[in-house]
Amino acid sequence: MDKLFGTLRLTPLGARRRTRPTALQAAAEYSGRWGWTLAVGSPARLAAPAAPTACDCGVPHCAAPNLHHLVGPVVAPGATAAELAARCPADAPLLLPTGHQFDVLDVPAQPGLQALVRLERMGTQVGPVLASPAGRLLLFVAPGTAERLPDLLYRMGWDDASLDLACHGLGSYLAAPPTPLGPLGPMRWLRRPVPDSAPPEARLLLGTLAYACHRTRARTAELAG
């Protein structure tokens, strides 16, 4: 076990007994309970076999690959059941536009899980966290983080170009559970939202996340060498 970070493993999909919610049930929770803006995406396009999560938008590690080409009308927070039923069909990709109620830090799963253990051990308030079947962890942070990310990392002594750490902000979309990313499987919650809890400021998480990403990259380079 890593003494600094500890370990945290993702539970295999087959080991969970909960019934997966429908898109409409999830939409009602996101809009009514959490007050989030929603959007309905387009059916997934087939990606190249060598890059199943590659997206035509060109954004590295797009959080809704091939699902946001034809986005329907945005559903405002607090939409009625009738509005949700009309705009969120059961088989439609459910998207969360980032940059409104939250931005999302995007890191590889391994260092992300290590950092999450460390942050929670330190008592740091961590917001919602999503596990992507593409091998990424998505941590919700305060809106506006994407614009300030390079400066935040620079002030902490990190060069963002050297880290596999991105942020999705205004103009981007996040595939919301239970939306699947093609054959890879569905997006799922690792840490669900909690009542009366705003997304944390990114500066509270970035130092630990950046170090974990750097450490993983250094180890990979050593093994490759």
Side-chain angles (χ1 to χ4, degrees):
M1 177 179 291
D2 192 305
K3 294 181 179 179
L4 177 61
F5 286 100
T7 58
L8 178 65
R9 304 183 191 282
L10 295 175
T11 304
L13 292 175
R16 302 197 313 279
R17 296 183 179 180
R18 292 181 181 179
T19 301
R20 191 162 54 121
T22 65
L24 183 57
Q25 290 172 328
E29 179 180 2
Y30 301 150
S31 177
R33 188 175 185 185
W34 307 120
W36 291 345
T37 302
L38 299 173
V40 177
S42 53
R45 297 180 181 179
L46 293 178
T53 60
C55 184
D56 292 344
C57 70
V59 174
H61 306 300
C62 175
N66 305 303
L67 299 176
H68 62 93
H69 300 285
L70 296 173
V71 176
V74 171
V75 182
T80 66
E83 290 174 325
L84 292 173
R87 299 185 182 184
C88 301
D91 58 348
L94 186 62
L95 307 180
L96 297 172
T98 53
H100 297 270
Q101 290 82 22
F102 51 81
D103 283 4
V104 175
L105 291 174
D106 185 330
V107 297
Q110 180 182 349
L113 291 169
Q114 292 174 340
L116 183 58
V117 170
R118 178 63 174 168
L119 288 165
E120 293 181 335
R121 282 182 176 176
M122 295 188 299
T124 303
Q125 182 64 45
V126 178
V129 182
L130 279 177
S132 165
R136 309 288 297 184
L137 230 59
L138 304 164
L139 296 91
F140 287 44
V141 290
T145 297
E147 296 178 3
R148 298 183 288 113
L149 183 63
D151 183 62
L152 287 170
L153 289 171
Y154 177 78
R155 289 174 181 270
M156 294 179 179
W158 296 101
D159 178 5
D160 63 310
S162 66
L163 299 172
D164 189 357
L165 190 161
C167 188
H168 306 292
L170 197 61
S172 294
Y173 294 90
L174 169 69
T179 301
L181 299 188
L184 295 179
M187 300 284 284
R188 61 189 183 90
W189 291 110
L190 187 60
R191 295 289 183 271
R192 294 185 64 84
V194 296
D196 303 320
S197 179
E201 291 295 328
R203 59 180 175 80
L204 301 176
L205 314 181
L206 269 177
T208 303
L209 285 169
Y211 179 68
C213 289
H214 169 76
R215 192 164 168 268
T216 298
R217 177 173 178 170
R219 283 186 171 181
T220 301
E222 289 177 4
L223 293 174

